[in-house]
Amino acid sequence: SQTIHQWPATLVQPVGSPLSLECTVEGTSNPNLYWYRQAAGRGLQLLFYSVGIGQISSEVPQNLSASRPQDRQFILSSKKLLLSDSGFYLCAWIRSSGNTIYFGEGSWLTVV
Amino acid sequence: AQSVTQLDSQVPVFEEAPVELRCNYSSSVSVYLFWYVQYPNQGLQLLLKYLSGSTLVKGINGFEAEFNKSQTSFHLRKPSVHISDTAEYFCAVRGFNFNKFYFGSGTKLNVKP
């Protein structure tokens, strides 16, 4: 069966510090991978998605970037965090020929 | 482009009462539709999905939803809710030819004893 792992689960970072959130999927190959952000009281905002290694599509201009160095690894980064980057970050995946998206457990980021 | 509207941000309901959570979508192409549930501090779990066929879709935990193409709606229903149904519910849409999933802003269901 397929599983998705996301870490760290909780992170408190000062303004201006870097960020790295990591996500890996097991039990499948060539998945589509996604990063969403869920701000307090708001819905899910699609940040990035990737259909293959090195292929990143950005949905919203922002202070964040994403990379896919391996087939089942998706990394969300920032060089300098802003207060507005605080939120709940969710990694997700679907099979390349699939139609249902599956989510990781999420990472809470608080920028102070 | 697709978009999803969940008109109700919060829905309070008493235990064993019926509930309907509303979802409307806009799309210029045919879509796949989904409902997800999110318990506190967790990721989203799939409740049910509409891909094709019967417009009435049954999911886990006794939930069901009906796809109405003319009204561009996909409302979620349960005839009798439990305390354990207290969570946030998200409607989502995916276009047939796109790799993107778009989510509504969520509806918090609060089941009271």
Side-chain angles (χ1 to χ4, degrees):
Chain A
S1 63
Q2 297 83 22
T3 57
I4 179 169
H5 301 285
Q6 186 180 339
W7 70 93
T10 305
L11 198 58
V12 180
Q13 291 286 96
V15 169
S17 64
L19 170 73
S20 180
L21 299 179
E22 191 164 341
C23 171
T24 60
V25 179
E26 297 177 356
T28 189
S29 60
N30 196 32
N32 288 1
L33 297 171
Y34 301 80
W35 279 110
Y36 284 86
R37 176 170 57 201
Q38 186 178 16
R42 300 178 63 181
L44 277 72
Q45 180 185 31
L46 177 61
L47 302 176
F48 301 95
Y49 72 93
S50 172
V51 299
I53 295 174
Q55 300 179 61
I56 308 295
S57 295
S58 175
E59 285 295 292
V60 182
Q62 60 209 325
N63 187 40
L64 302 169
S65 62
S67 62
R68 185 168 177 175
Q70 300 181 40
D71 182 43
R72 291 170 290 171
Q73 183 184 29
F74 205 25
I75 298 172
L76 183 69
S77 304
S78 174
K79 292 182 179 178
K80 291 184 177 181
L81 285 168
L82 306 172
L83 287 174
S84 57
D85 292 324
S86 294
F88 192 47
Y89 288 82
L90 290 159
C91 183
W93 72 280
I94 61 169
R95 290 188 184 87
S96 57
S97 59
N99 49 47
T100 302
I101 191 168
Y102 299 97
F103 286 84
E105 289 301 308
S107 298
W108 273 109
L109 170 65
T110 303
V111 182
V112 296
Chain B
Q2 290 85 39
S3 66
V4 179
T5 301
Q6 292 181 246
L7 291 173
D8 306 305
S9 60
Q10 297 192 44
V11 173
V13 63
F14 287 105
E15 193 173 18
E16 297 184 3
V19 71
E20 178 180 85
L21 306 183
R22 296 181 294 170
C23 172
N24 288 89
Y25 69 93
S26 65
S27 176
S28 57
V29 299
S30 298
V31 296
Y32 295 153
L33 294 158
F34 306 80
W35 275 100
Y36 286 81
V37 59
Q38 184 181 35
Y39 298 102
N41 299 317
Q42 295 185 24
L44 279 69
Q45 302 173 30
L46 179 68
L47 269 181
L48 49 79
K49 59 185 175 184
Y50 172 78
L51 305 179
S52 64
S54 173
T55 56
L56 183 62
V57 180
K58 294 187 183 298
I60 62 172
N61 301 341
F63 284 93
E64 63 181 32
E66 186 159 16
F67 170 56
N68 189 318
K69 188 175 182 179
S70 62
Q71 297 185 8
T72 60
S73 67
F74 190 55
H75 300 330
L76 181 70
R77 303 185 183 98
K78 186 169 182 178
S80 176
V81 295
H82 303 290
I83 295 290
S84 59
D85 292 323
T86 295
E88 190 160 18
Y89 293 79
F90 290 90
C91 183
V93 62
R94 181 191 186 199
F96 278 171
N97 298 318
F98 297 94
N99 291 309
K100 305 175 189 177
F101 288 75
Y102 294 96
F103 287 79
S105 54
T107 298
K108 291 184 178 178
L109 177 64
N110 183 15
V111 182
K112 304 176 181 180

PDB file of all heavy atoms in Angstrom, chain B residues 48-80:
ATOM      1  N   LEU B  48     -15.749  10.763   0.032  1.00  0.00           N
ATOM      2  CA  LEU B  48     -16.386  10.207  -1.139  1.00  0.00           C
ATOM      3  C   LEU B  48     -15.971  10.997  -2.369  1.00  0.00           C
ATOM      4  O   LEU B  48     -15.384  12.077  -2.249  1.00  0.00           O
ATOM      5  CB  LEU B  48     -17.919  10.214  -0.989  1.00  0.00           C
ATOM      6  CG  LEU B  48     -18.593  11.503  -0.533  1.00  0.00           C
ATOM      7  CD1 LEU B  48     -18.736  12.500  -1.656  1.00  0.00           C
ATOM      8  CD2 LEU B  48     -19.978  11.202   0.058  1.00  0.00           C
ATOM      9  N   LYS B  49     -16.302  10.427  -3.535  1.00  0.00           N
ATOM     10  CA  LYS B  49     -15.934  11.100  -4.767  1.00  0.00           C
ATOM     11  C   LYS B  49     -16.944  10.780  -5.859  1.00  0.00           C
ATOM     12  O   LYS B  49     -17.553   9.700  -5.872  1.00  0.00           O
ATOM     13  CB  LYS B  49     -14.541  10.698  -5.216  1.00  0.00           C
ATOM     14  CG  LYS B  49     -14.380   9.209  -5.469  1.00  0.00           C
ATOM     15  CD  LYS B  49     -12.921   8.867  -5.785  1.00  0.00           C
ATOM     16  CE  LYS B  49     -12.730   7.368  -5.922  1.00  0.00           C
ATOM     17  NZ  LYS B  49     -11.293   7.003  -6.144  1.00  0.00           N
ATOM     18  N   TYR B  50     -17.122  11.724  -6.762  1.00  0.00           N
ATOM     19  CA  TYR B  50     -17.920  11.523  -7.960  1.00  0.00           C
ATOM     20  C   TYR B  50     -16.998  11.609  -9.168  1.00  0.00           C
ATOM     21  O   TYR B  50     -16.343  12.636  -9.396  1.00  0.00           O
ATOM     22  CB  TYR B  50     -19.036  12.565  -8.087  1.00  0.00           C
ATOM     23  CG  TYR B  50     -19.722  12.473  -9.422  1.00  0.00           C
ATOM     24  CD1 TYR B  50     -20.667  11.475  -9.676  1.00  0.00           C
ATOM     25  CD2 TYR B  50     -19.384  13.329 -10.468  1.00  0.00           C
ATOM     26  CE1 TYR B  50     -21.272  11.362 -10.915  1.00  0.00           C
ATOM     27  CE2 TYR B  50     -19.983  13.214 -11.706  1.00  0.00           C
ATOM     28  CZ  TYR B  50     -20.915  12.233 -11.929  1.00  0.00           C
ATOM     29  OH  TYR B  50     -21.508  12.109 -13.160  1.00  0.00           O
ATOM     30  N   LEU B  51     -16.982  10.529  -9.945  1.00  0.00           N
ATOM     31  CA  LEU B  51     -16.184  10.524 -11.169  1.00  0.00           C
ATOM     32  C   LEU B  51     -17.091  10.445 -12.387  1.00  0.00           C
ATOM     33  O   LEU B  51     -16.888  11.159 -13.378  1.00  0.00           O
ATOM     34  CB  LEU B  51     -15.210   9.341 -11.152  1.00  0.00           C
ATOM     35  CG  LEU B  51     -14.271   9.257  -9.934  1.00  0.00           C
ATOM     36  CD1 LEU B  51     -13.378   8.034 -10.034  1.00  0.00           C
ATOM     37  CD2 LEU B  51     -13.450  10.517  -9.785  1.00  0.00           C
ATOM     38  N   SER B  52     -18.083   9.573 -12.326  1.00  0.00           N
ATOM     39  CA  SER B  52     -19.042   9.414 -13.409  1.00  0.00           C
ATOM     40  C   SER B  52     -20.144   8.485 -12.910  1.00  0.00           C
ATOM     41  O   SER B  52     -20.079   7.964 -11.796  1.00  0.00           O
ATOM     42  CB  SER B  52     -18.379   8.833 -14.661  1.00  0.00           C
ATOM     43  OG  SER B  52     -17.915   7.518 -14.392  1.00  0.00           O
ATOM     44  N   GLY B  53     -21.157   8.259 -13.749  1.00  0.00           N
ATOM     45  CA  GLY B  53     -22.193   7.310 -13.387  1.00  0.00           C
ATOM     46  C   GLY B  53     -23.259   7.910 -12.502  1.00  0.00           C
ATOM     47  O   GLY B  53     -23.653   9.062 -12.669  1.00  0.00           O
ATOM     48  N   SER B  54     -23.720   7.122 -11.536  1.00  0.00           N
ATOM     49  CA  SER B  54     -24.811   7.542 -10.662  1.00  0.00           C
ATOM     50  C   SER B  54     -24.478   8.863  -9.979  1.00  0.00           C
ATOM     51  O   SER B  54     -23.377   9.049  -9.442  1.00  0.00           O
ATOM     52  CB  SER B  54     -25.079   6.482  -9.600  1.00  0.00           C
ATOM     53  OG  SER B  54     -26.020   6.951  -8.653  1.00  0.00           O
ATOM     54  N   THR B  55     -25.457   9.756  -9.960  1.00  0.00           N
ATOM     55  CA  THR B  55     -25.210  11.071  -9.372  1.00  0.00           C
ATOM     56  C   THR B  55     -25.255  11.044  -7.849  1.00  0.00           C
ATOM     57  O   THR B  55     -24.840  11.994  -7.204  1.00  0.00           O
ATOM     58  CB  THR B  55     -26.242  12.078  -9.879  1.00  0.00           C
ATOM     59  OG1 THR B  55     -27.557  11.591  -9.584  1.00  0.00           O
ATOM     60  CG2 THR B  55     -26.094  12.291 -11.377  1.00  0.00           C
ATOM     61  N   LEU B  56     -25.769   9.969  -7.280  1.00  0.00           N
ATOM     62  CA  LEU B  56     -25.780   9.822  -5.819  1.00  0.00           C
ATOM     63  C   LEU B  56     -24.608   8.945  -5.417  1.00  0.00           C
ATOM     64  O   LEU B  56     -24.518   7.789  -5.810  1.00  0.00           O
ATOM     65  CB  LEU B  56     -27.097   9.213  -5.348  1.00  0.00           C
ATOM     66  CG  LEU B  56     -27.250   9.075  -3.829  1.00  0.00           C
ATOM     67  CD1 LEU B  56     -27.222  10.448  -3.163  1.00  0.00           C
ATOM     68  CD2 LEU B  56     -28.529   8.329  -3.487  1.00  0.00           C
ATOM     69  N   VAL B  57     -23.731   9.522  -4.633  1.00  0.00           N
ATOM     70  CA  VAL B  57     -22.502   8.835  -4.251  1.00  0.00           C
ATOM     71  C   VAL B  57     -22.509   8.584  -2.749  1.00  0.00           C
ATOM     72  O   VAL B  57     -22.767   9.497  -1.967  1.00  0.00           O
ATOM     73  CB  VAL B  57     -21.271   9.684  -4.619  1.00  0.00           C
ATOM     74  CG1 VAL B  57     -19.998   8.951  -4.225  1.00  0.00           C
ATOM     75  CG2 VAL B  57     -21.263  10.020  -6.103  1.00  0.00           C
ATOM     76  N   LYS B  58     -22.215   7.365  -2.380  1.00  0.00           N
ATOM     77  CA  LYS B  58     -22.138   7.033  -0.958  1.00  0.00           C
ATOM     78  C   LYS B  58     -20.684   6.913  -0.528  1.00  0.00           C
ATOM     79  O   LYS B  58     -19.850   6.383  -1.270  1.00  0.00           O
ATOM     80  CB  LYS B  58     -22.896   5.739  -0.676  1.00  0.00           C
ATOM     81  CG  LYS B  58     -24.405   5.869  -0.909  1.00  0.00           C
ATOM     82  CD  LYS B  58     -25.146   4.639  -0.475  1.00  0.00           C
ATOM     83  CE  LYS B  58     -26.648   4.768  -0.776  1.00  0.00           C
ATOM     84  NZ  LYS B  58     -27.245   5.897  -0.026  1.00  0.00           N
ATOM     85  N   GLY B  59     -20.397   7.417   0.681  1.00  0.00           N
ATOM     86  CA  GLY B  59     -19.037   7.389   1.166  1.00  0.00           C
ATOM     87  C   GLY B  59     -18.925   6.705   2.515  1.00  0.00           C
ATOM     88  O   GLY B  59     -19.828   5.981   2.935  1.00  0.00           O
ATOM     89  N   ILE B  60     -17.831   6.990   3.198  1.00  0.00           N
ATOM     90  CA  ILE B  60     -17.609   6.381   4.504  1.00  0.00           C
ATOM     91  C   ILE B  60     -18.396   7.111   5.582  1.00  0.00           C
ATOM     92  O   ILE B  60     -18.851   8.238   5.363  1.00  0.00           O
ATOM     93  CB  ILE B  60     -16.107   6.374   4.867  1.00  0.00           C
ATOM     94  CG1 ILE B  60     -15.573   7.811   4.954  1.00  0.00           C
ATOM     95  CG2 ILE B  60     -15.317   5.570   3.842  1.00  0.00           C
ATOM     96  CD1 ILE B  60     -14.160   7.885   5.487  1.00  0.00           C
ATOM     97  N   ASN B  61     -18.536   6.462   6.726  1.00  0.00           N
ATOM     98  CA  ASN B  61     -19.177   7.070   7.904  1.00  0.00           C
ATOM     99  C   ASN B  61     -20.619   7.497   7.671  1.00  0.00           C
ATOM    100  O   ASN B  61     -21.124   8.381   8.364  1.00  0.00           O
ATOM    101  CB  ASN B  61     -18.372   8.275   8.407  1.00  0.00           C
ATOM    102  CG  ASN B  61     -16.947   7.906   8.791  1.00  0.00           C
ATOM    103  OD1 ASN B  61     -16.648   6.738   9.026  1.00  0.00           O
ATOM    104  ND2 ASN B  61     -16.072   8.882   8.834  1.00  0.00           N
ATOM    105  N   GLY B  62     -21.304   6.873   6.701  1.00  0.00           N
ATOM    106  CA  GLY B  62     -22.712   7.159   6.471  1.00  0.00           C
ATOM    107  C   GLY B  62     -23.003   8.415   5.676  1.00  0.00           C
ATOM    108  O   GLY B  62     -24.160   8.825   5.539  1.00  0.00           O
ATOM    109  N   PHE B  63     -21.986   9.056   5.135  1.00  0.00           N
ATOM    110  CA  PHE B  63     -22.187  10.256   4.332  1.00  0.00           C
ATOM    111  C   PHE B  63     -22.522   9.908   2.885  1.00  0.00           C
ATOM    112  O   PHE B  63     -22.115   8.856   2.378  1.00  0.00           O
ATOM    113  CB  PHE B  63     -20.931  11.131   4.352  1.00  0.00           C
ATOM    114  CG  PHE B  63     -20.751  11.909   5.626  1.00  0.00           C
ATOM    115  CD1 PHE B  63     -19.987  11.391   6.665  1.00  0.00           C
ATOM    116  CD2 PHE B  63     -21.339  13.154   5.780  1.00  0.00           C
ATOM    117  CE1 PHE B  63     -19.822  12.105   7.849  1.00  0.00           C
ATOM    118  CE2 PHE B  63     -21.178  13.880   6.954  1.00  0.00           C
ATOM    119  CZ  PHE B  63     -20.422  13.350   7.992  1.00  0.00           C
ATOM    120  N   GLU B  64     -23.254  10.800   2.237  1.00  0.00           N
ATOM    121  CA  GLU B  64     -23.544  10.676   0.826  1.00  0.00           C
ATOM    122  C   GLU B  64     -23.605  12.065   0.207  1.00  0.00           C
ATOM    123  O   GLU B  64     -23.768  13.072   0.908  1.00  0.00           O
ATOM    124  CB  GLU B  64     -24.851   9.924   0.571  1.00  0.00           C
ATOM    125  CG  GLU B  64     -26.080  10.625   1.112  1.00  0.00           C
ATOM    126  CD  GLU B  64     -27.343   9.820   0.849  1.00  0.00           C
ATOM    127  OE1 GLU B  64     -27.286   8.565   0.827  1.00  0.00           O
ATOM    128  OE2 GLU B  64     -28.406  10.451   0.659  1.00  0.00           O
ATOM    129  N   ALA B  65     -23.441  12.122  -1.105  1.00  0.00           N
ATOM    130  CA  ALA B  65     -23.503  13.412  -1.797  1.00  0.00           C
ATOM    131  C   ALA B  65     -24.160  13.206  -3.144  1.00  0.00           C
ATOM    132  O   ALA B  65     -24.099  12.118  -3.717  1.00  0.00           O
ATOM    133  CB  ALA B  65     -22.100  13.991  -1.978  1.00  0.00           C
ATOM    134  N   GLU B  66     -24.795  14.252  -3.634  1.00  0.00           N
ATOM    135  CA  GLU B  66     -25.475  14.173  -4.911  1.00  0.00           C
ATOM    136  C   GLU B  66     -24.929  15.203  -5.873  1.00  0.00           C
ATOM    137  O   GLU B  66     -24.880  16.407  -5.561  1.00  0.00           O
ATOM    138  CB  GLU B  66     -26.982  14.371  -4.746  1.00  0.00           C
ATOM    139  CG  GLU B  66     -27.744  14.148  -6.047  1.00  0.00           C
ATOM    140  CD  GLU B  66     -29.204  13.850  -5.822  1.00  0.00           C
ATOM    141  OE1 GLU B  66     -29.698  14.120  -4.703  1.00  0.00           O
ATOM    142  OE2 GLU B  66     -29.847  13.339  -6.756  1.00  0.00           O
ATOM    143  N   PHE B  67     -24.507  14.724  -7.026  1.00  0.00           N
ATOM    144  CA  PHE B  67     -24.000  15.601  -8.075  1.00  0.00           C
ATOM    145  C   PHE B  67     -25.178  16.129  -8.875  1.00  0.00           C
ATOM    146  O   PHE B  67     -25.982  15.358  -9.404  1.00  0.00           O
ATOM    147  CB  PHE B  67     -23.044  14.819  -8.975  1.00  0.00           C
ATOM    148  CG  PHE B  67     -22.637  15.546 -10.227  1.00  0.00           C
ATOM    149  CD1 PHE B  67     -22.044  16.804 -10.164  1.00  0.00           C
ATOM    150  CD2 PHE B  67     -22.836  14.961 -11.478  1.00  0.00           C
ATOM    151  CE1 PHE B  67     -21.661  17.463 -11.317  1.00  0.00           C
ATOM    152  CE2 PHE B  67     -22.456  15.630 -12.641  1.00  0.00           C
ATOM    153  CZ  PHE B  67     -21.869  16.875 -12.553  1.00  0.00           C
ATOM    154  N   ASN B  68     -25.273  17.454  -8.980  1.00  0.00           N
ATOM    155  CA  ASN B  68     -26.327  18.087  -9.753  1.00  0.00           C
ATOM    156  C   ASN B  68     -25.669  18.999 -10.783  1.00  0.00           C
ATOM    157  O   ASN B  68     -25.217  20.103 -10.459  1.00  0.00           O
ATOM    158  CB  ASN B  68     -27.261  18.885  -8.833  1.00  0.00           C
ATOM    159  CG  ASN B  68     -28.489  19.390  -9.566  1.00  0.00           C
ATOM    160  OD1 ASN B  68     -28.387  19.858 -10.703  1.00  0.00           O
ATOM    161  ND2 ASN B  68     -29.641  19.310  -8.939  1.00  0.00           N
ATOM    162  N   LYS B  69     -25.631  18.507 -12.006  1.00  0.00           N
ATOM    163  CA  LYS B  69     -24.900  19.239 -13.043  1.00  0.00           C
ATOM    164  C   LYS B  69     -25.577  20.565 -13.379  1.00  0.00           C
ATOM    165  O   LYS B  69     -24.903  21.580 -13.600  1.00  0.00           O
ATOM    166  CB  LYS B  69     -24.777  18.378 -14.302  1.00  0.00           C
ATOM    167  CG  LYS B  69     -23.882  18.969 -15.369  1.00  0.00           C
ATOM    168  CD  LYS B  69     -23.693  18.015 -16.534  1.00  0.00           C
ATOM    169  CE  LYS B  69     -22.754  18.619 -17.571  1.00  0.00           C
ATOM    170  NZ  LYS B  69     -22.533  17.666 -18.713  1.00  0.00           N
ATOM    171  N   SER B  70     -26.900  20.577 -13.428  1.00  0.00           N
ATOM    172  CA  SER B  70     -27.608  21.794 -13.815  1.00  0.00           C
ATOM    173  C   SER B  70     -27.436  22.903 -12.783  1.00  0.00           C
ATOM    174  O   SER B  70     -27.396  24.090 -13.120  1.00  0.00           O
ATOM    175  CB  SER B  70     -29.098  21.496 -14.017  1.00  0.00           C
ATOM    176  OG  SER B  70     -29.678  21.053 -12.812  1.00  0.00           O
ATOM    177  N   GLN B  71     -27.315  22.508 -11.522  1.00  0.00           N
ATOM    178  CA  GLN B  71     -27.118  23.496 -10.458  1.00  0.00           C
ATOM    179  C   GLN B  71     -25.651  23.616 -10.058  1.00  0.00           C
ATOM    180  O   GLN B  71     -25.327  24.373  -9.131  1.00  0.00           O
ATOM    181  CB  GLN B  71     -27.965  23.124  -9.232  1.00  0.00           C
ATOM    182  CG  GLN B  71     -29.452  23.134  -9.500  1.00  0.00           C
ATOM    183  CD  GLN B  71     -30.278  22.887  -8.253  1.00  0.00           C
ATOM    184  OE1 GLN B  71     -29.750  22.845  -7.142  1.00  0.00           O
ATOM    185  NE2 GLN B  71     -31.583  22.705  -8.426  1.00  0.00           N
ATOM    186  N   THR B  72     -24.798  22.901 -10.721  1.00  0.00           N
ATOM    187  CA  THR B  72     -23.352  22.852 -10.407  1.00  0.00           C
ATOM    188  C   THR B  72     -23.129  22.724  -8.911  1.00  0.00           C
ATOM    189  O   THR B  72     -22.398  23.513  -8.289  1.00  0.00           O
ATOM    190  CB  THR B  72     -22.595  24.082 -10.967  1.00  0.00           C
ATOM    191  OG1 THR B  72     -23.128  25.281 -10.404  1.00  0.00           O
ATOM    192  CG2 THR B  72     -22.695  24.123 -12.479  1.00  0.00           C
ATOM    193  N   SER B  73     -23.777  21.725  -8.341  1.00  0.00           N
ATOM    194  CA  SER B  73     -23.660  21.523  -6.893  1.00  0.00           C
ATOM    195  C   SER B  73     -23.264  20.091  -6.581  1.00  0.00           C
ATOM    196  O   SER B  73     -23.456  19.171  -7.388  1.00  0.00           O
ATOM    197  CB  SER B  73     -24.980  21.851  -6.199  1.00  0.00           C
ATOM    198  OG  SER B  73     -25.974  20.916  -6.551  1.00  0.00           O
ATOM    199  N   PHE B  74     -22.716  19.930  -5.388  1.00  0.00           N
ATOM    200  CA  PHE B  74     -22.309  18.600  -4.901  1.00  0.00           C
ATOM    201  C   PHE B  74     -22.439  18.641  -3.379  1.00  0.00           C
ATOM    202  O   PHE B  74     -21.463  18.639  -2.653  1.00  0.00           O
ATOM    203  CB  PHE B  74     -20.873  18.300  -5.347  1.00  0.00           C
ATOM    204  CG  PHE B  74     -20.438  16.883  -5.121  1.00  0.00           C
ATOM    205  CD1 PHE B  74     -21.172  15.824  -5.628  1.00  0.00           C
ATOM    206  CD2 PHE B  74     -19.253  16.593  -4.436  1.00  0.00           C
ATOM    207  CE1 PHE B  74     -20.757  14.511  -5.445  1.00  0.00           C
ATOM    208  CE2 PHE B  74     -18.830  15.284  -4.247  1.00  0.00           C
ATOM    209  CZ  PHE B  74     -19.581  14.244  -4.754  1.00  0.00           C
ATOM    210  N   HIS B  75     -23.676  18.681  -2.908  1.00  0.00           N
ATOM    211  CA  HIS B  75     -23.939  18.825  -1.471  1.00  0.00           C
ATOM    212  C   HIS B  75     -23.736  17.509  -0.727  1.00  0.00           C
ATOM    213  O   HIS B  75     -24.118  16.441  -1.217  1.00  0.00           O
ATOM    214  CB  HIS B  75     -25.358  19.329  -1.236  1.00  0.00           C
ATOM    215  CG  HIS B  75     -25.637  20.660  -1.874  1.00  0.00           C
ATOM    216  ND1 HIS B  75     -24.667  21.625  -2.072  1.00  0.00           N
ATOM    217  CD2 HIS B  75     -26.795  21.177  -2.374  1.00  0.00           C
ATOM    218  CE1 HIS B  75     -25.201  22.682  -2.644  1.00  0.00           C
ATOM    219  NE2 HIS B  75     -26.489  22.439  -2.857  1.00  0.00           N
ATOM    220  N   LEU B  76     -23.207  17.623   0.454  1.00  0.00           N
ATOM    221  CA  LEU B  76     -22.920  16.458   1.311  1.00  0.00           C
ATOM    222  C   LEU B  76     -24.025  16.326   2.354  1.00  0.00           C
ATOM    223  O   LEU B  76     -24.415  17.318   2.975  1.00  0.00           O
ATOM    224  CB  LEU B  76     -21.571  16.650   2.008  1.00  0.00           C
ATOM    225  CG  LEU B  76     -21.086  15.525   2.921  1.00  0.00           C
ATOM    226  CD1 LEU B  76     -20.693  14.300   2.103  1.00  0.00           C
ATOM    227  CD2 LEU B  76     -19.896  16.002   3.763  1.00  0.00           C
ATOM    228  N   ARG B  77     -24.483  15.096   2.575  1.00  0.00           N
ATOM    229  CA  ARG B  77     -25.587  14.878   3.522  1.00  0.00           C
ATOM    230  C   ARG B  77     -25.304  13.681   4.409  1.00  0.00           C
ATOM    231  O   ARG B  77     -24.575  12.759   4.041  1.00  0.00           O
ATOM    232  CB  ARG B  77     -26.906  14.627   2.773  1.00  0.00           C
ATOM    233  CG  ARG B  77     -27.314  15.728   1.821  1.00  0.00           C
ATOM    234  CD  ARG B  77     -28.694  15.444   1.230  1.00  0.00           C
ATOM    235  NE  ARG B  77     -29.063  16.471   0.242  1.00  0.00           N
ATOM    236  CZ  ARG B  77     -28.925  16.318  -1.067  1.00  0.00           C
ATOM    237  NH1 ARG B  77     -28.456  15.193  -1.560  1.00  0.00           N
ATOM    238  NH2 ARG B  77     -29.283  17.295  -1.880  1.00  0.00           N
ATOM    239  N   LYS B  78     -25.916  13.744   5.598  1.00  0.00           N
ATOM    240  CA  LYS B  78     -25.930  12.591   6.482  1.00  0.00           C
ATOM    241  C   LYS B  78     -27.248  12.623   7.245  1.00  0.00           C
ATOM    242  O   LYS B  78     -27.611  13.659   7.800  1.00  0.00           O
ATOM    243  CB  LYS B  78     -24.749  12.603   7.454  1.00  0.00           C
ATOM    244  CG  LYS B  78     -24.655  11.330   8.296  1.00  0.00           C
ATOM    245  CD  LYS B  78     -23.346  11.244   9.057  1.00  0.00           C
ATOM    246  CE  LYS B  78     -23.276   9.931   9.830  1.00  0.00           C
ATOM    247  NZ  LYS B  78     -21.996   9.758  10.555  1.00  0.00           N
ATOM    248  N   PRO B  79     -27.992  11.526   7.280  1.00  0.00           N
ATOM    249  CA  PRO B  79     -29.329  11.539   7.886  1.00  0.00           C
ATOM    250  C   PRO B  79     -29.324  11.676   9.400  1.00  0.00           C
ATOM    251  O   PRO B  79     -30.292  12.181   9.978  1.00  0.00           O
ATOM    252  CB  PRO B  79     -29.941  10.211   7.451  1.00  0.00           C
ATOM    253  CG  PRO B  79     -28.791   9.345   7.083  1.00  0.00           C
ATOM    254  CD  PRO B  79     -27.698  10.250   6.618  1.00  0.00           C
ATOM    255  N   SER B  80     -28.219  11.259  10.039  1.00  0.00           N
ATOM    256  CA  SER B  80     -28.168  11.316  11.503  1.00  0.00           C
ATOM    257  C   SER B  80     -26.706  11.432  11.927  1.00  0.00           C
ATOM    258  O   SER B  80     -25.932  10.492  11.741  1.00  0.00           O
ATOM    259  CB  SER B  80     -28.809  10.060  12.102  1.00  0.00           C
ATOM    260  OG  SER B  80     -28.683  10.054  13.507  1.00  0.00           O
TER     261      SER B  80
END
